[in-house]
Amino acid sequence: MEVPWNWLISATGFIIILYSSMINEVIVILRGGINLPAGYANEFMISALQTKVTNSFVPILAVIPFSGKYIDDVKSKFIRFYIIRTDRKGYLLKKIANSFACGGSIFWGGGIVAWGIASLIFSPMEKLAPNSGVAIQFLSNFLLFFLVGGMWSVVGMAMSSFMESKYIAYTSPFIIYYLLIILCERYFPNVSLLHPLNWTKADIWPFGVWGAAVFLLELTSISGLFFVIRAGKKLWEL
């Protein structure tokens, strides 16, 4: 199966951003030859995932592979021939599932490669001792990044169906992301769970990672519902 070039661009961009956000720490470690604690590669990845730089690029990278595909189908009139062979509901649900999977898998794929690089660099410098707690936190962070990426991808596709513009698919998640940050930091500081930077911090959520996961899946479902309503109306007009 051929991997789309725009998926590779997004995953590669995620790897570069992760290391760019921690470049000073990498330089200090490599220059000093520091004896690192066990599991430092996991700790390094957790720190990189939690930076503002990394999180601000998530809504940008998540939409690149698939969020504009619905508008491509409409503009090229491919959708008219496709829905002849299948039902409209199946087409819409498939678009939502594919968008969610593409948006989330960027951060799984790119994250696994980034973790592999960190392990190769830092593992020889680590003390040999078990550190399973850090590993669990690391996996929890990657799960939430998958869900956040999938959610933003579906949001972009839903917004494009209302405005019927591919550019809206690529720009609207980033705009919404920063509007939420402004609202939470300036006007509603007590509503911390609506702050996008907190969506990947499992420790602040009720029920931990599962509470955050349910919240993100709810946002994805709401966005998918808006897409089904608007795009479904468009399909009946064709």
Side-chain angles (χ1 to χ4, degrees):
M1 182 178 176
E2 184 179 356
V3 179
W5 63 269
N6 48 9
W7 188 95
L8 290 174
I9 289 175
S10 292
T12 303
F14 183 55
I15 297 169
I16 294 171
I17 290 162
L18 282 172
Y19 281 92
S20 298
S21 66
M22 299 288 288
I23 190 64
N24 291 334
E25 186 167 343
V26 172
I27 292 172
V28 169
I29 292 172
L30 294 180
R31 281 183 175 178
I34 302 171
N35 192 16
L36 302 173
Y40 178 80
N42 293 341
E43 293 179 0
F44 174 85
M45 290 304 302
I46 291 171
S47 299
L49 289 170
Q50 297 301 331
T51 63
K52 289 185 178 181
V53 174
T54 298
N55 280 270
S56 65
F57 274 92
V58 171
I60 298 173
L61 297 174
V63 299
I64 293 174
F66 202 87
S67 293
K69 295 295 184 183
Y70 165 74
I71 295 300
D72 285 342
D73 288 352
V74 173
K75 300 293 184 182
S76 66
K77 297 183 171 54
F78 165 80
I79 195 171
R80 294 186 179 182
F81 301 100
Y82 186 84
I83 60 176
I84 293 174
R85 296 180 294 171
T86 185
D87 63 294
R88 292 171 172 81
K89 182 179 179 181
Y91 169 83
L92 296 174
L93 293 178
K94 185 177 179 181
K95 283 295 180 186
I96 294 172
N98 288 342
S99 181
F100 181 79
C102 284
S105 62
I106 291 167
F107 306 102
W108 268 103
I112 289 172
V113 174
W115 172 79
I117 295 171
S119 296
L120 288 173
I121 295 173
F122 300 127
S123 291
M125 306 178 190
E126 294 179 9
K127 299 176 182 177
L128 296 178
N131 198 347
S132 58
V134 174
I136 293 172
Q137 185 182 355
F138 167 71
L139 293 174
S140 298
N141 274 267
F142 266 105
L143 171 63
L144 294 181
F145 263 81
F146 177 89
L147 296 175
V148 169
M151 184 270 295
W152 282 126
S153 183
V154 175
V155 167
M157 188 172 66
M159 293 298 293
S160 72
S161 69
F162 280 92
M163 306 301 293
E164 297 190 3
S165 169
K166 193 172 181 178
Y167 300 105
I168 293 297
Y170 296 141
T171 58
S172 57
F174 183 74
I175 294 171
I176 293 171
Y177 171 86
Y178 263 103
L179 284 176
L180 285 172
I181 288 178
I182 291 170
L183 288 172
C184 290
E185 291 185 353
R186 295 188 181 181
Y187 303 106
F188 306 103
N190 295 325
V191 191
S192 60
L193 297 186
L194 289 180
H195 198 303
L197 292 176
N198 293 332
W199 294 349
T200 55
K201 296 178 181 178
D203 55 328
I204 71 169
W205 284 83
F207 307 107
V209 64
W210 301 115
V214 169
F215 175 77
L216 292 169
L217 289 173
E218 287 175 348
L219 293 181
T220 304
S221 300
I222 293 170
S223 302
L225 179 61
F226 282 124
F227 173 72
V228 168
I229 293 172
R230 180 64 186 96
K233 182 179 178 182
K234 178 69 176 180
L235 293 186
W236 283 107
E237 294 174 355
L238 295 177

PDB file of all heavy atoms in Angstrom, residues 93-126:
ATOM      1  N   LEU A  93     -19.710   8.573   6.345  1.00  0.00           N
ATOM      2  CA  LEU A  93     -19.080   7.920   7.496  1.00  0.00           C
ATOM      3  C   LEU A  93     -17.656   7.467   7.161  1.00  0.00           C
ATOM      4  O   LEU A  93     -16.755   7.537   8.004  1.00  0.00           O
ATOM      5  CB  LEU A  93     -19.925   6.724   7.947  1.00  0.00           C
ATOM      6  CG  LEU A  93     -21.297   7.070   8.538  1.00  0.00           C
ATOM      7  CD1 LEU A  93     -22.054   5.798   8.903  1.00  0.00           C
ATOM      8  CD2 LEU A  93     -21.158   7.972   9.761  1.00  0.00           C
ATOM      9  N   LYS A  94     -17.472   7.019   5.924  1.00  0.00           N
ATOM     10  CA  LYS A  94     -16.131   6.613   5.507  1.00  0.00           C
ATOM     11  C   LYS A  94     -15.186   7.809   5.483  1.00  0.00           C
ATOM     12  O   LYS A  94     -14.023   7.700   5.881  1.00  0.00           O
ATOM     13  CB  LYS A  94     -16.200   5.967   4.123  1.00  0.00           C
ATOM     14  CG  LYS A  94     -14.869   5.408   3.649  1.00  0.00           C
ATOM     15  CD  LYS A  94     -15.010   4.726   2.305  1.00  0.00           C
ATOM     16  CE  LYS A  94     -13.663   4.182   1.825  1.00  0.00           C
ATOM     17  NZ  LYS A  94     -13.778   3.528   0.499  1.00  0.00           N
ATOM     18  N   LYS A  95     -15.673   8.956   5.040  1.00  0.00           N
ATOM     19  CA  LYS A  95     -14.849  10.164   5.027  1.00  0.00           C
ATOM     20  C   LYS A  95     -14.437  10.557   6.446  1.00  0.00           C
ATOM     21  O   LYS A  95     -13.283  10.933   6.686  1.00  0.00           O
ATOM     22  CB  LYS A  95     -15.607  11.316   4.374  1.00  0.00           C
ATOM     23  CG  LYS A  95     -15.662  11.266   2.858  1.00  0.00           C
ATOM     24  CD  LYS A  95     -14.278  11.415   2.259  1.00  0.00           C
ATOM     25  CE  LYS A  95     -14.297  11.360   0.752  1.00  0.00           C
ATOM     26  NZ  LYS A  95     -12.955  11.355   0.152  1.00  0.00           N
ATOM     27  N   ILE A  96     -15.368  10.481   7.380  1.00  0.00           N
ATOM     28  CA  ILE A  96     -15.065  10.832   8.768  1.00  0.00           C
ATOM     29  C   ILE A  96     -14.025   9.880   9.338  1.00  0.00           C
ATOM     30  O   ILE A  96     -13.040  10.303   9.966  1.00  0.00           O
ATOM     31  CB  ILE A  96     -16.340  10.815   9.627  1.00  0.00           C
ATOM     32  CG1 ILE A  96     -17.295  11.934   9.184  1.00  0.00           C
ATOM     33  CG2 ILE A  96     -16.002  10.963  11.109  1.00  0.00           C
ATOM     34  CD1 ILE A  96     -18.656  11.863   9.840  1.00  0.00           C
ATOM     35  N   ALA A  97     -14.213   8.568   9.118  1.00  0.00           N
ATOM     36  CA  ALA A  97     -13.282   7.573   9.642  1.00  0.00           C
ATOM     37  C   ALA A  97     -11.889   7.749   9.038  1.00  0.00           C
ATOM     38  O   ALA A  97     -10.873   7.695   9.756  1.00  0.00           O
ATOM     39  CB  ALA A  97     -13.814   6.165   9.360  1.00  0.00           C
ATOM     40  N   ASN A  98     -11.829   7.960   7.738  1.00  0.00           N
ATOM     41  CA  ASN A  98     -10.527   8.133   7.078  1.00  0.00           C
ATOM     42  C   ASN A  98      -9.829   9.412   7.528  1.00  0.00           C
ATOM     43  O   ASN A  98      -8.611   9.436   7.728  1.00  0.00           O
ATOM     44  CB  ASN A  98     -10.698   8.150   5.565  1.00  0.00           C
ATOM     45  CG  ASN A  98     -11.029   6.785   5.004  1.00  0.00           C
ATOM     46  OD1 ASN A  98     -10.817   5.771   5.652  1.00  0.00           O
ATOM     47  ND2 ASN A  98     -11.567   6.744   3.797  1.00  0.00           N
ATOM     48  N   SER A  99     -10.612  10.479   7.687  1.00  0.00           N
ATOM     49  CA  SER A  99     -10.040  11.741   8.132  1.00  0.00           C
ATOM     50  C   SER A  99      -9.476  11.606   9.540  1.00  0.00           C
ATOM     51  O   SER A  99      -8.355  12.058   9.826  1.00  0.00           O
ATOM     52  CB  SER A  99     -11.105  12.843   8.089  1.00  0.00           C
ATOM     53  OG  SER A  99     -10.577  14.083   8.504  1.00  0.00           O
ATOM     54  N   PHE A 100     -10.239  10.970  10.412  1.00  0.00           N
ATOM     55  CA  PHE A 100      -9.796  10.778  11.799  1.00  0.00           C
ATOM     56  C   PHE A 100      -8.531   9.918  11.847  1.00  0.00           C
ATOM     57  O   PHE A 100      -7.561  10.254  12.552  1.00  0.00           O
ATOM     58  CB  PHE A 100     -10.911  10.127  12.609  1.00  0.00           C
ATOM     59  CG  PHE A 100     -10.570   9.917  14.055  1.00  0.00           C
ATOM     60  CD1 PHE A 100     -10.647  10.967  14.952  1.00  0.00           C
ATOM     61  CD2 PHE A 100     -10.170   8.676  14.513  1.00  0.00           C
ATOM     62  CE1 PHE A 100     -10.326  10.776  16.295  1.00  0.00           C
ATOM     63  CE2 PHE A 100      -9.848   8.471  15.836  1.00  0.00           C
ATOM     64  CZ  PHE A 100      -9.927   9.525  16.728  1.00  0.00           C
ATOM     65  N   ALA A 101      -8.532   8.823  11.083  1.00  0.00           N
ATOM     66  CA  ALA A 101      -7.379   7.916  11.090  1.00  0.00           C
ATOM     67  C   ALA A 101      -6.134   8.586  10.522  1.00  0.00           C
ATOM     68  O   ALA A 101      -5.031   8.439  11.078  1.00  0.00           O
ATOM     69  CB  ALA A 101      -7.708   6.651  10.292  1.00  0.00           C
ATOM     70  N   CYS A 102      -6.286   9.330   9.433  1.00  0.00           N
ATOM     71  CA  CYS A 102      -5.129  10.002   8.829  1.00  0.00           C
ATOM     72  C   CYS A 102      -4.571  11.079   9.749  1.00  0.00           C
ATOM     73  O   CYS A 102      -3.353  11.179   9.945  1.00  0.00           O
ATOM     74  CB  CYS A 102      -5.524  10.620   7.493  1.00  0.00           C
ATOM     75  SG  CYS A 102      -5.697   9.419   6.161  1.00  0.00           S
ATOM     76  N   GLY A 103      -5.465  11.885  10.319  1.00  0.00           N
ATOM     77  CA  GLY A 103      -5.014  12.956  11.202  1.00  0.00           C
ATOM     78  C   GLY A 103      -4.318  12.451  12.445  1.00  0.00           C
ATOM     79  O   GLY A 103      -3.323  13.021  12.900  1.00  0.00           O
ATOM     80  N   GLY A 104      -4.824  11.344  13.002  1.00  0.00           N
ATOM     81  CA  GLY A 104      -4.211  10.801  14.209  1.00  0.00           C
ATOM     82  C   GLY A 104      -2.945  10.018  13.949  1.00  0.00           C
ATOM     83  O   GLY A 104      -1.986  10.089  14.726  1.00  0.00           O
ATOM     84  N   SER A 105      -2.927   9.265  12.843  1.00  0.00           N
ATOM     85  CA  SER A 105      -1.775   8.391  12.582  1.00  0.00           C
ATOM     86  C   SER A 105      -0.497   9.158  12.269  1.00  0.00           C
ATOM     87  O   SER A 105       0.604   8.613  12.399  1.00  0.00           O
ATOM     88  CB  SER A 105      -2.100   7.440  11.422  1.00  0.00           C
ATOM     89  OG  SER A 105      -2.351   8.154  10.220  1.00  0.00           O
ATOM     90  N   ILE A 106      -0.638  10.419  11.862  1.00  0.00           N
ATOM     91  CA  ILE A 106       0.559  11.255  11.671  1.00  0.00           C
ATOM     92  C   ILE A 106       1.405  11.265  12.937  1.00  0.00           C
ATOM     93  O   ILE A 106       2.634  11.101  12.896  1.00  0.00           O
ATOM     94  CB  ILE A 106       0.143  12.706  11.339  1.00  0.00           C
ATOM     95  CG1 ILE A 106      -0.490  12.787   9.964  1.00  0.00           C
ATOM     96  CG2 ILE A 106       1.345  13.649  11.422  1.00  0.00           C
ATOM     97  CD1 ILE A 106      -1.181  14.110   9.730  1.00  0.00           C
ATOM     98  N   PHE A 107       0.739  11.425  14.065  1.00  0.00           N
ATOM     99  CA  PHE A 107       1.455  11.589  15.335  1.00  0.00           C
ATOM    100  C   PHE A 107       1.892  10.249  15.917  1.00  0.00           C
ATOM    101  O   PHE A 107       2.866  10.197  16.661  1.00  0.00           O
ATOM    102  CB  PHE A 107       0.570  12.386  16.297  1.00  0.00           C
ATOM    103  CG  PHE A 107       0.128  13.690  15.697  1.00  0.00           C
ATOM    104  CD1 PHE A 107      -1.147  13.846  15.180  1.00  0.00           C
ATOM    105  CD2 PHE A 107       1.015  14.742  15.582  1.00  0.00           C
ATOM    106  CE1 PHE A 107      -1.536  15.031  14.588  1.00  0.00           C
ATOM    107  CE2 PHE A 107       0.646  15.931  14.986  1.00  0.00           C
ATOM    108  CZ  PHE A 107      -0.639  16.078  14.490  1.00  0.00           C
ATOM    109  N   TRP A 108       1.194   9.177  15.561  1.00  0.00           N
ATOM    110  CA  TRP A 108       1.674   7.843  15.921  1.00  0.00           C
ATOM    111  C   TRP A 108       2.924   7.512  15.109  1.00  0.00           C
ATOM    112  O   TRP A 108       3.955   7.128  15.657  1.00  0.00           O
ATOM    113  CB  TRP A 108       0.586   6.794  15.654  1.00  0.00           C
ATOM    114  CG  TRP A 108      -0.288   6.516  16.817  1.00  0.00           C
ATOM    115  CD1 TRP A 108      -1.554   6.964  17.028  1.00  0.00           C
ATOM    116  CD2 TRP A 108       0.028   5.724  17.967  1.00  0.00           C
ATOM    117  NE1 TRP A 108      -2.053   6.515  18.228  1.00  0.00           N
ATOM    118  CE2 TRP A 108      -1.099   5.743  18.821  1.00  0.00           C
ATOM    119  CE3 TRP A 108       1.158   5.008  18.352  1.00  0.00           C
ATOM    120  CZ2 TRP A 108      -1.129   5.070  20.036  1.00  0.00           C
ATOM    121  CZ3 TRP A 108       1.133   4.322  19.572  1.00  0.00           C
ATOM    122  CH2 TRP A 108      -0.005   4.363  20.398  1.00  0.00           C
ATOM    123  N   GLY A 109       2.799   7.633  13.780  1.00  0.00           N
ATOM    124  CA  GLY A 109       3.922   7.280  12.918  1.00  0.00           C
ATOM    125  C   GLY A 109       5.143   8.141  13.157  1.00  0.00           C
ATOM    126  O   GLY A 109       6.258   7.640  13.367  1.00  0.00           O
ATOM    127  N   GLY A 110       4.939   9.464  13.137  1.00  0.00           N
ATOM    128  CA  GLY A 110       6.052  10.372  13.383  1.00  0.00           C
ATOM    129  C   GLY A 110       6.600  10.226  14.777  1.00  0.00           C
ATOM    130  O   GLY A 110       7.825  10.294  14.993  1.00  0.00           O
ATOM    131  N   GLY A 111       5.714  10.006  15.751  1.00  0.00           N
ATOM    132  CA  GLY A 111       6.149   9.861  17.134  1.00  0.00           C
ATOM    133  C   GLY A 111       6.975   8.610  17.365  1.00  0.00           C
ATOM    134  O   GLY A 111       7.972   8.635  18.109  1.00  0.00           O
ATOM    135  N   ILE A 112       6.590   7.499  16.730  1.00  0.00           N
ATOM    136  CA  ILE A 112       7.358   6.257  16.886  1.00  0.00           C
ATOM    137  C   ILE A 112       8.768   6.423  16.321  1.00  0.00           C
ATOM    138  O   ILE A 112       9.761   5.991  16.926  1.00  0.00           O
ATOM    139  CB  ILE A 112       6.623   5.090  16.193  1.00  0.00           C
ATOM    140  CG1 ILE A 112       5.369   4.717  16.993  1.00  0.00           C
ATOM    141  CG2 ILE A 112       7.542   3.872  16.042  1.00  0.00           C
ATOM    142  CD1 ILE A 112       4.471   3.724  16.300  1.00  0.00           C
ATOM    143  N   VAL A 113       8.862   7.064  15.151  1.00  0.00           N
ATOM    144  CA  VAL A 113      10.184   7.300  14.560  1.00  0.00           C
ATOM    145  C   VAL A 113      11.013   8.223  15.458  1.00  0.00           C
ATOM    146  O   VAL A 113      12.200   7.974  15.705  1.00  0.00           O
ATOM    147  CB  VAL A 113      10.050   7.896  13.140  1.00  0.00           C
ATOM    148  CG1 VAL A 113      11.418   8.289  12.585  1.00  0.00           C
ATOM    149  CG2 VAL A 113       9.378   6.904  12.211  1.00  0.00           C
ATOM    150  N   ALA A 114      10.381   9.291  15.968  1.00  0.00           N
ATOM    151  CA  ALA A 114      11.092  10.223  16.851  1.00  0.00           C
ATOM    152  C   ALA A 114      11.559   9.522  18.120  1.00  0.00           C
ATOM    153  O   ALA A 114      12.683   9.752  18.603  1.00  0.00           O
ATOM    154  CB  ALA A 114      10.190  11.404  17.200  1.00  0.00           C
ATOM    155  N   TRP A 115      10.704   8.649  18.674  1.00  0.00           N
ATOM    156  CA  TRP A 115      11.089   7.891  19.875  1.00  0.00           C
ATOM    157  C   TRP A 115      12.241   6.948  19.567  1.00  0.00           C
ATOM    158  O   TRP A 115      13.155   6.776  20.384  1.00  0.00           O
ATOM    159  CB  TRP A 115       9.886   7.121  20.397  1.00  0.00           C
ATOM    160  CG  TRP A 115      10.232   6.177  21.503  1.00  0.00           C
ATOM    161  CD1 TRP A 115      10.439   6.486  22.820  1.00  0.00           C
ATOM    162  CD2 TRP A 115      10.443   4.762  21.385  1.00  0.00           C
ATOM    163  NE1 TRP A 115      10.749   5.354  23.540  1.00  0.00           N
ATOM    164  CE2 TRP A 115      10.752   4.282  22.680  1.00  0.00           C
ATOM    165  CE3 TRP A 115      10.368   3.863  20.327  1.00  0.00           C
ATOM    166  CZ2 TRP A 115      11.008   2.941  22.911  1.00  0.00           C
ATOM    167  CZ3 TRP A 115      10.616   2.526  20.568  1.00  0.00           C
ATOM    168  CH2 TRP A 115      10.935   2.078  21.849  1.00  0.00           C
ATOM    169  N   GLY A 116      12.210   6.314  18.392  1.00  0.00           N
ATOM    170  CA  GLY A 116      13.297   5.423  18.004  1.00  0.00           C
ATOM    171  C   GLY A 116      14.621   6.159  17.910  1.00  0.00           C
ATOM    172  O   GLY A 116      15.667   5.654  18.365  1.00  0.00           O
ATOM    173  N   ILE A 117      14.588   7.368  17.347  1.00  0.00           N
ATOM    174  CA  ILE A 117      15.803   8.179  17.253  1.00  0.00           C
ATOM    175  C   ILE A 117      16.307   8.553  18.646  1.00  0.00           C
ATOM    176  O   ILE A 117      17.509   8.473  18.940  1.00  0.00           O
ATOM    177  CB  ILE A 117      15.538   9.446  16.422  1.00  0.00           C
ATOM    178  CG1 ILE A 117      15.210   9.066  14.974  1.00  0.00           C
ATOM    179  CG2 ILE A 117      16.746  10.387  16.459  1.00  0.00           C
ATOM    180  CD1 ILE A 117      14.714  10.232  14.130  1.00  0.00           C
ATOM    181  N   ALA A 118      15.363   8.943  19.523  1.00  0.00           N
ATOM    182  CA  ALA A 118      15.751   9.317  20.893  1.00  0.00           C
ATOM    183  C   ALA A 118      16.354   8.120  21.631  1.00  0.00           C
ATOM    184  O   ALA A 118      17.323   8.276  22.387  1.00  0.00           O
ATOM    185  CB  ALA A 118      14.529   9.842  21.652  1.00  0.00           C
ATOM    186  N   SER A 119      15.793   6.937  21.405  1.00  0.00           N
ATOM    187  CA  SER A 119      16.334   5.741  22.067  1.00  0.00           C
ATOM    188  C   SER A 119      17.747   5.436  21.590  1.00  0.00           C
ATOM    189  O   SER A 119      18.617   5.065  22.391  1.00  0.00           O
ATOM    190  CB  SER A 119      15.415   4.543  21.794  1.00  0.00           C
ATOM    191  OG  SER A 119      14.135   4.747  22.361  1.00  0.00           O
ATOM    192  N   LEU A 120      17.984   5.588  20.297  1.00  0.00           N
ATOM    193  CA  LEU A 120      19.315   5.331  19.756  1.00  0.00           C
ATOM    194  C   LEU A 120      20.345   6.314  20.313  1.00  0.00           C
ATOM    195  O   LEU A 120      21.496   5.954  20.572  1.00  0.00           O
ATOM    196  CB  LEU A 120      19.291   5.426  18.228  1.00  0.00           C
ATOM    197  CG  LEU A 120      18.594   4.279  17.483  1.00  0.00           C
ATOM    198  CD1 LEU A 120      18.496   4.600  15.995  1.00  0.00           C
ATOM    199  CD2 LEU A 120      19.343   2.973  17.696  1.00  0.00           C
ATOM    200  N   ILE A 121      19.903   7.574  20.497  1.00  0.00           N
ATOM    201  CA  ILE A 121      20.835   8.604  20.965  1.00  0.00           C
ATOM    202  C   ILE A 121      21.089   8.490  22.465  1.00  0.00           C
ATOM    203  O   ILE A 121      22.239   8.532  22.922  1.00  0.00           O
ATOM    204  CB  ILE A 121      20.288  10.008  20.631  1.00  0.00           C
ATOM    205  CG1 ILE A 121      20.212  10.202  19.115  1.00  0.00           C
ATOM    206  CG2 ILE A 121      21.164  11.091  21.260  1.00  0.00           C
ATOM    207  CD1 ILE A 121      19.515  11.495  18.706  1.00  0.00           C
ATOM    208  N   PHE A 122      20.008   8.324  23.248  1.00  0.00           N
ATOM    209  CA  PHE A 122      20.123   8.461  24.698  1.00  0.00           C
ATOM    210  C   PHE A 122      20.293   7.138  25.447  1.00  0.00           C
ATOM    211  O   PHE A 122      20.844   7.138  26.556  1.00  0.00           O
ATOM    212  CB  PHE A 122      18.901   9.197  25.251  1.00  0.00           C
ATOM    213  CG  PHE A 122      18.716  10.570  24.690  1.00  0.00           C
ATOM    214  CD1 PHE A 122      17.509  10.949  24.117  1.00  0.00           C
ATOM    215  CD2 PHE A 122      19.749  11.498  24.718  1.00  0.00           C
ATOM    216  CE1 PHE A 122      17.336  12.228  23.580  1.00  0.00           C
ATOM    217  CE2 PHE A 122      19.588  12.771  24.198  1.00  0.00           C
ATOM    218  CZ  PHE A 122      18.379  13.132  23.623  1.00  0.00           C
ATOM    219  N   SER A 123      19.798   6.022  24.899  1.00  0.00           N
ATOM    220  CA  SER A 123      19.851   4.747  25.636  1.00  0.00           C
ATOM    221  C   SER A 123      21.271   4.359  26.055  1.00  0.00           C
ATOM    222  O   SER A 123      21.464   3.879  27.183  1.00  0.00           O
ATOM    223  CB  SER A 123      19.222   3.627  24.806  1.00  0.00           C
ATOM    224  OG  SER A 123      17.827   3.834  24.693  1.00  0.00           O
ATOM    225  N   PRO A 124      22.288   4.536  25.201  1.00  0.00           N
ATOM    226  CA  PRO A 124      23.650   4.195  25.654  1.00  0.00           C
ATOM    227  C   PRO A 124      24.125   5.031  26.832  1.00  0.00           C
ATOM    228  O   PRO A 124      25.073   4.642  27.526  1.00  0.00           O
ATOM    229  CB  PRO A 124      24.504   4.475  24.407  1.00  0.00           C
ATOM    230  CG  PRO A 124      23.560   4.368  23.255  1.00  0.00           C
ATOM    231  CD  PRO A 124      22.273   4.903  23.772  1.00  0.00           C
ATOM    232  N   MET A 125      23.510   6.184  27.081  1.00  0.00           N
ATOM    233  CA  MET A 125      23.925   7.060  28.176  1.00  0.00           C
ATOM    234  C   MET A 125      23.111   6.822  29.445  1.00  0.00           C
ATOM    235  O   MET A 125      23.388   7.416  30.486  1.00  0.00           O
ATOM    236  CB  MET A 125      23.766   8.530  27.772  1.00  0.00           C
ATOM    237  CG  MET A 125      24.452   8.912  26.489  1.00  0.00           C
ATOM    238  SD  MET A 125      24.117  10.658  26.105  1.00  0.00           S
ATOM    239  CE  MET A 125      24.772  10.757  24.429  1.00  0.00           C
ATOM    240  N   GLU A 126      22.080   5.958  29.372  1.00  0.00           N
ATOM    241  CA  GLU A 126      21.175   5.767  30.496  1.00  0.00           C
ATOM    242  C   GLU A 126      21.690   4.713  31.465  1.00  0.00           C
ATOM    243  O   GLU A 126      22.362   3.759  31.073  1.00  0.00           O
ATOM    244  CB  GLU A 126      19.785   5.349  29.996  1.00  0.00           C
ATOM    245  CG  GLU A 126      19.059   6.406  29.200  1.00  0.00           C
ATOM    246  CD  GLU A 126      17.706   5.927  28.705  1.00  0.00           C
ATOM    247  OE1 GLU A 126      17.278   4.834  29.135  1.00  0.00           O
ATOM    248  OE2 GLU A 126      17.080   6.633  27.888  1.00  0.00           O
TER     249      GLU A 126
END
